[in-house]
Amino acid sequence: MAKERKSADAALNDSKNTISDGRKTHSRLVQQVPNAITALALCSGLASVRFSIENEFEFALLAIVVAAVLDGLDGRLARRLHASSQFGAEFDSLADFLSFGVAPIVLLFFWGEALMTGPFSLCLMAFALASAARLARFNAQSKSAAAAWQKAYFTGMPTPAAALTVLLPISLAPPTPATVQIAGLHAALIAFLMVSTIPTFSGKKWACQVPKWTMIALFLAVAGLVAAVVLYPSEFLVVLTVLYLASIPISWISFRHDEKIHDEIDVETARVVE
């Protein structure tokens, strides 16, 4: 009887260990999903560079849009799966620099290659430098404590938005001496917005309750939006960029309003404590 009990206990322990190992393996695989999406975003940025070299500018633009969509997914998925890590944050920053700091200026470089000038090159260089500085500042600020309401805003223009916004000139006109100079000045302006302290909406605190009966309509709307991006990337970029640039003054006003309200709340709280 004792031998039978020992063998049964051993079998039970083996089964528990097997289940535990299986759960650990599954957990590790799930935690790598956000990193896999980041890797896909990086590959999309690399594809954009290749398309730019081959003068396939619409495909290069579409690849940057895909990278921006994937970049928006990996962070949110990491938070949902509780899979955030220091490695993931650093990997995401490196991928962002290539996809949104290098790929856009490569696209602009080959777009205006025949009309390249020194000032235009300097503006593109400034954009790349500003992108690196913006990502470094974001990493530094993510490690410091911030009020909950401040998480609804970015400090400066985020690099994915900057990458799409800086490409606006190539969607509006063909390269000419005038449009190339305008594109350079536009790149310098976007570089300034990235390193500035102007608050912009982050979208992290936005939430809305969607009735169940509207989910099908919402799914169809999203599918139509994706189809529009694929079929008309240039037109979609123009509309999206104009709307985003128009939102920056609104985000600044909203930030100042929230800041004033929370400052008043802090003062009232201090008075109550005293």
Side-chain angles (χ1 to χ4, degrees):
M1 291 291 292
K3 292 182 178 180
E4 291 178 357
R5 287 180 180 176
K6 288 181 180 180
S7 62
D9 291 340
L12 182 60
N13 289 332
D14 291 340
S15 63
K16 287 182 178 179
N17 291 333
T18 302
I19 293 173
S20 178
D21 292 341
R23 287 177 179 175
K24 288 181 180 179
T25 302
H26 177 71
S27 177
R28 289 172 182 171
L29 289 175
V30 168
Q31 289 182 346
Q32 294 305 317
V33 171
N35 292 334
I37 295 178
T38 302
L40 288 176
L42 177 59
C43 292
S44 187
L46 291 170
S48 175
V49 172
R50 176 188 172 182
F51 287 133
S52 297
I53 295 172
E54 296 175 350
N55 292 332
E56 297 287 349
F57 300 134
E58 285 201 356
F59 288 116
L61 172 60
L62 180 59
I64 294 175
V65 172
V66 171
V69 173
L70 293 174
D71 180 70
L73 289 176
D74 60 1
R76 287 172 173 78
L77 194 58
R79 289 188 290 271
R80 283 291 184 89
L81 298 175
H82 303 287
S84 301
S85 65
Q86 186 63 32
F87 170 82
E90 298 298 333
F91 185 35
D92 183 67
S93 292
L94 292 172
D96 285 356
F97 178 66
L98 188 142
S99 298
F100 310 127
V102 175
I105 65 170
V106 172
L107 176 51
L108 285 168
F109 176 85
F110 282 95
W111 172 76
E113 182 179 13
L115 303 169
M116 183 62 60
T117 62
F120 182 67
S121 299
L122 290 175
C123 290
L124 297 185
M125 190 180 300
F127 178 86
L129 291 173
S131 176
R134 171 68 179 78
L135 290 168
R137 183 176 64 184
F138 176 79
N139 289 342
Q141 289 180 341
S142 64
K143 297 176 183 178
S144 59
W149 68 271
Q150 292 178 336
K151 295 180 180 179
Y153 303 92
F154 287 126
T155 302
M157 183 181 289
T159 50
L164 297 178
T165 306
V166 78
L167 297 176
L168 177 63
I170 72 173
S171 301
L172 295 176
T176 63
T179 56
V180 166
Q181 297 305 315
I182 292 173
L185 294 174
H186 180 69
L189 173 62
I190 301 304
F192 167 75
L193 291 175
M194 275 195 287
V195 298
S196 71
T197 57
I198 297 173
T200 57
F201 289 123
S202 68
K204 293 180 180 180
K205 293 294 182 179
W206 293 353
C208 58
Q209 298 294 329
V210 180
K212 293 182 179 179
W213 60 271
T214 63
M215 288 301 294
I216 297 177
L218 181 63
F219 175 78
L220 292 175
V222 172
L225 184 63
V226 173
V229 174
V230 174
L231 296 175
Y232 307 102
S234 298
E235 292 80 357
F236 177 82
L237 175 65
V238 172
V239 174
L240 185 65
T241 301
V242 171
L243 291 176
Y244 181 76
L245 291 174
S247 74
I248 294 178
I250 299 173
S251 66
W252 186 84
I253 295 171
S254 176
F255 180 86
R256 295 305 177 194
H257 176 265
D258 290 347
E259 185 179 42
K260 182 178 179 181
I261 290 176
H262 286 85
D263 285 345
E264 292 175 353
I265 292 174
D266 292 340
V267 171
E268 292 297 327
T269 303
R271 289 176 179 174
V272 172
V273 172
E274 292 176 357

